[in-house]
Amino acid sequence: MTVAFQGETGAYSESAVRALYPGVRLLPQVSMEDVFAAVVGGRADRGIIPIENSLFGSVHVNYDLLLASEVRVVAEVHVRIRHHLLAVRGAGLSSITSVYSHPQALGQCQTYLRRRLPHAEAVPTYDTAGAARMVAWKGKQHYAAIASRHAASEYGLELLAEDIESHHQNYTRFLALAPSGSARPGALQARPHKISIAFALQTNVPGALFKSLATFVLRDLDLLKIESRPLVGSPGEYLFYLDIEGSLQDVPVARALEHLEELTALLKVLGSYPIGGTWDEPLHDS
Amino acid sequence: MTVAFQGETGAYSESAVRALYPGVRLLPQVSMEDVFAAVVGGRADRGIIPIENSLFGSVHVNYDLLLASEVRVVAEVHVRIRHHLLAVRGAGLSSITSVYSHPQALGQCQTYLRRRLPHAEAVPTYDTAGAARMVAWKGKQHYAAIASRHAASEYGLELLAEDIESHHQNYTRFLALAPSGSARPGALQARPHKISIAFALQTNVPGALFKSLATFVLRDLDLLKIESRPLVGSPGEYLFYLDIEGSLQDVPVARALEHLEELTALLKVLGSYPIGGTWDEPLHDS
């Protein structure tokens, strides 16, 4: 099995791959478009994409790619994002003059950096894994990177400080994609399932959003996510993202979706899959 | 009047300031926390924060700061984000060997860069305005930055190529903040208003989300935004963001909010303000 993800070895996306599909062949890609293309084109059996972060919201560009692509969601996982300070063996806080990382990670660790490394220069990089790779390659004791524990292990770096992020409630939800045409699971598994859909309402139906939610609520189906997104260029029109507890094989779910189609101008079932757990890094990386 | 914003001169946030409060004194801040602190502490009359982007979703960290801070929202504006290729006078595409910008901007212009500058090195920076400043400071014809037209004008750079982003529907919604205690507008203005609220539901009320929306819908109040955000560490509990058309001075709105309080464990009115327009850059920057 081959799984495509965006980023390089040691990226947080790779943790999502390892959590969902341990031991598979990894296919790192430069862009999200490349991940979708790898799945649709058959070069990868699965693709992993981030869909929302607990601090920075939903990734609309990936919802757009989900709507446009012949893929379906088959799994999800929430990855705890922990930032550590990495350096070569023998380095100490007092020797560090430059800290490399993605601007967002540098920002999330600003409080720590201001207090403990007030004179170090913060140097932006493309991604956290790339920062770790660069520090390892330079091999000097005055460089540090902010990245994951896995990146430290991958590039042979030591952890100078752990969990240096200001917001510890930092989780990214990743989705696993398969080609649309691939075999669906036959029997319903015991684990609770969810369905992800995206839809746009017919503009001439008064109270259409409320009615569209009623199709689920009145059938006692729980909503797990709801989000509206204004359609740029069409004032007053919205795209909605909904996650509902249940499986496509449940009769009330199928009825609710039929009912919803009466109200929507556009409706796509993005996938039906087991509700995912949370993945946190192991204390000792394998 | 003094307005605080995060970023440096030439940042997209500054466009939001100029759109809402032309001619005021600008107070650039290093972090979002600093913007809130400047407003609460009285060093700024207003603060400008990004709250959602049409490609990258809601900025939950700023919702968190809104919930925790003694501020209220008094205005909004949607800023069209356009990315241009900037260089010193006399530079041409064929002379460019390095392109500086924020990783997100570099990513959004990847298609252009791959096609037109396949051999140029992409160099990440903290922000787009900083990239423009650096290219101006270096003064060499083989450096380019991806930034706004305003940054070009601010740092004396020329536009080598315009609108090089892949997604042209890129808008960021900014909010203007005032201290909670400051004077509220007396009479209702003619312009349509909206109210932004955040709330968490009581966990023991079945169908609580649907009922909470009903408090508005059954009073014919339009929902302009709805978003759920899982409360990390509390499975099944959510924070909701709602924007509703109307003003706090409207009786049905006041009644709906009273009704909503019966269902919520937490409710904060973030502000009541005129529905904002869209700001696009002028062809010739002043």
Side-chain angles (χ1 to χ4, degrees):
Chain A
M1 190 172 184
T2 301
V3 179
F5 68 101
Q6 192 266 325
E8 53 184 300
T9 305
Y12 291 99
S13 295
E14 197 196 321
S15 298
V17 180
R18 290 150 53 94
L20 286 171
Y21 305 109
V24 299
R25 194 171 80 87
L26 301 173
L27 196 64
Q29 302 289 310
V30 171
S31 71
M32 290 301 162
E33 285 82 355
D34 295 337
V35 174
F36 280 80
V39 173
V40 172
R43 285 182 295 118
D45 302 290
R46 296 285 183 272
I48 295 286
I49 58 162
I51 199 68
E52 58 186 311
N53 173 272
S54 58
L55 304 177
F56 298 101
S58 292
V59 186
H60 293 315
V61 282
N62 283 345
Y63 271 102
D64 284 341
L65 289 167
L66 281 172
L67 278 168
S69 307
E70 296 292 312
V71 297
R72 61 191 178 88
V73 181
V74 295
E76 68 167 354
V77 65
H78 298 82
V79 172
R80 163 91 187 259
I81 308 295
R82 290 179 187 266
H83 293 310
H84 309 300
L85 193 69
L86 279 43
V88 295
R89 186 182 301 270
L93 272 187
S94 58
S95 68
I96 302 299
T97 58
S98 303
V99 180
Y100 291 79
S101 200
H102 186 276
Q104 211 170 60
L106 290 168
Q108 284 169 32
C109 301
Q110 197 179 50
T111 306
Y112 175 89
L113 294 176
R114 276 184 185 174
R115 197 174 55 227
R116 304 298 301 272
L117 291 168
H119 305 299
E121 181 197 16
V123 186
T125 59
Y126 256 109
D127 50 38
T128 56
R133 188 170 40 80
M134 184 186 296
V135 167
W137 175 75
K138 292 193 182 225
K140 298 273 170 52
Q141 298 193 353
H142 52 274
Y143 295 122
I146 295 174
S148 68
R149 184 182 303 268
H150 176 53
S153 137
E154 189 68 33
Y155 298 109
L157 297 173
E158 308 261 298
L159 270 63
L160 271 189
E162 300 183 43
D163 289 329
I164 62 171
E165 68 276 7
S166 300
H167 294 85
H168 295 299
Q169 302 293 2
N170 188 356
Y171 290 82
T172 298
R173 177 181 169 218
F174 289 90
L175 300 179
L177 313 176
S180 290
S182 59
R184 287 162 192 267
L188 180 58
Q189 294 145 28
R191 238 167 113 189
H193 271 57
K194 68 161 73 164
I195 298 151
S196 293
I197 64 173
F199 63 90
L201 295 168
Q202 292 170 20
T203 50
N204 53 350
V205 180
L209 171 63
F210 194 65
K211 289 176 184 170
S212 68
L213 299 184
T215 64
F216 300 101
V217 174
L218 297 179
R219 289 180 174 89
D220 292 327
L221 299 169
D222 272 343
L223 301 177
L224 302 175
K225 171 184 174 120
I226 173 166
E227 183 167 343
S228 67
R229 171 185 175 193
L231 283 175
V232 175
S234 307
E237 291 185 44
Y238 299 88
L239 197 60
F240 293 93
Y241 309 145
L242 228 61
D243 288 355
I244 310 117
E245 192 164 350
S247 156
L248 281 180
Q249 285 129 318
D250 300 340
V251 173
V253 171
R255 288 277 161 78
L257 289 173
E258 281 170 25
H259 187 166
L260 183 61
E261 272 199 315
E262 299 170 26
L263 302 162
T264 51
L266 161 82
L267 170 62
K268 183 170 180 178
V269 177
L270 305 176
S272 170
Y273 49 97
I275 291 177
T278 297
W279 187 88
D280 201 347
E281 62 183 24
L283 275 180
H284 300 284
D285 206 273
S286 54
Chain B
M1 190 173 186
T2 301
V3 180
F5 68 101
Q6 192 266 327
E8 53 184 301
T9 304
Y12 291 99
S13 296
E14 197 196 322
S15 298
V17 180
R18 292 150 53 94
L20 286 171
Y21 305 109
V24 299
R25 194 169 81 85
L26 301 174
L27 197 64
Q29 301 291 311
V30 171
S31 71
M32 291 299 163
E33 285 82 355
D34 295 337
V35 174
F36 279 80
V39 173
V40 172
R43 286 183 293 118
D45 303 289
R46 296 285 183 272
I48 296 287
I49 57 162
I51 199 68
E52 57 185 312
N53 173 272
S54 58
L55 303 179
F56 298 100
S58 292
V59 187
H60 293 315
V61 283
N62 283 345
Y63 271 101
D64 284 342
L65 289 167
L66 281 172
L67 279 168
S69 309
E70 295 292 312
V71 297
R72 61 190 177 88
V73 181
V74 294
E76 68 167 354
V77 65
H78 298 82
V79 172
R80 163 89 187 259
I81 308 296
R82 291 178 186 267
H83 293 311
H84 309 300
L85 193 69
L86 279 44
V88 295
R89 186 182 301 271
L93 273 186
S94 58
S95 68
I96 302 301
T97 57
S98 302
V99 179
Y100 292 79
S101 200
H102 187 278
Q104 211 171 59
L106 289 168
Q108 285 169 32
C109 301
Q110 198 178 50
T111 306
Y112 175 89
L113 294 176
R114 277 185 184 173
R115 196 174 54 226
R116 304 298 300 273
L117 290 168
H119 304 299
E121 182 196 14
V123 186
T125 59
Y126 255 109
D127 50 37
T128 57
R133 188 170 41 77
M134 183 186 294
V135 166
W137 175 77
K138 293 196 180 218
K140 299 273 171 53
Q141 298 194 352
H142 52 274
Y143 295 122
I146 295 173
S148 69
R149 185 183 302 267
H150 176 53
S153 137
E154 190 67 34
Y155 297 108
L157 297 173
E158 309 261 298
L159 271 62
L160 270 190
E162 300 183 43
D163 289 329
I164 62 170
E165 67 277 6
S166 298
H167 294 84
H168 296 299
Q169 303 292 3
N170 188 356
Y171 291 81
T172 298
R173 177 181 169 217
F174 289 90
L175 300 179
L177 313 177
S180 290
S182 59
R184 288 163 191 266
L188 179 59
Q189 294 144 29
R191 237 168 112 190
H193 272 57
K194 68 162 73 165
I195 298 151
S196 294
I197 65 174
F199 63 90
L201 295 167
Q202 292 170 21
T203 49
N204 54 351
V205 179
L209 171 62
F210 194 64
K211 289 176 183 168
S212 68
L213 299 183
T215 65
F216 300 100
V217 174
L218 298 179
R219 288 179 175 89
D220 292 327
L221 299 168
D222 272 343
L223 302 176
L224 302 175
K225 173 186 173 121
I226 174 166
E227 184 167 342
S228 67
R229 171 186 175 192
L231 283 175
V232 177
S234 307
E237 289 184 46
Y238 299 88
L239 197 60
F240 292 93
Y241 310 145
L242 228 61
D243 288 355
I244 311 117
E245 192 164 351
S247 157
L248 281 180
Q249 286 128 317
D250 300 339
V251 173
V253 171
R255 289 276 161 78
L257 289 172
E258 282 169 27
H259 186 167
L260 183 61
E261 272 198 315
E262 299 170 26
L263 302 162
T264 50
L266 162 81
L267 169 63
K268 184 171 180 179
V269 177
L270 304 176
S272 169
Y273 50 96
I275 291 178
T278 296
W279 187 89
D280 201 348
E281 62 183 24
L283 274 180
H284 300 284
D285 206 89
S286 57

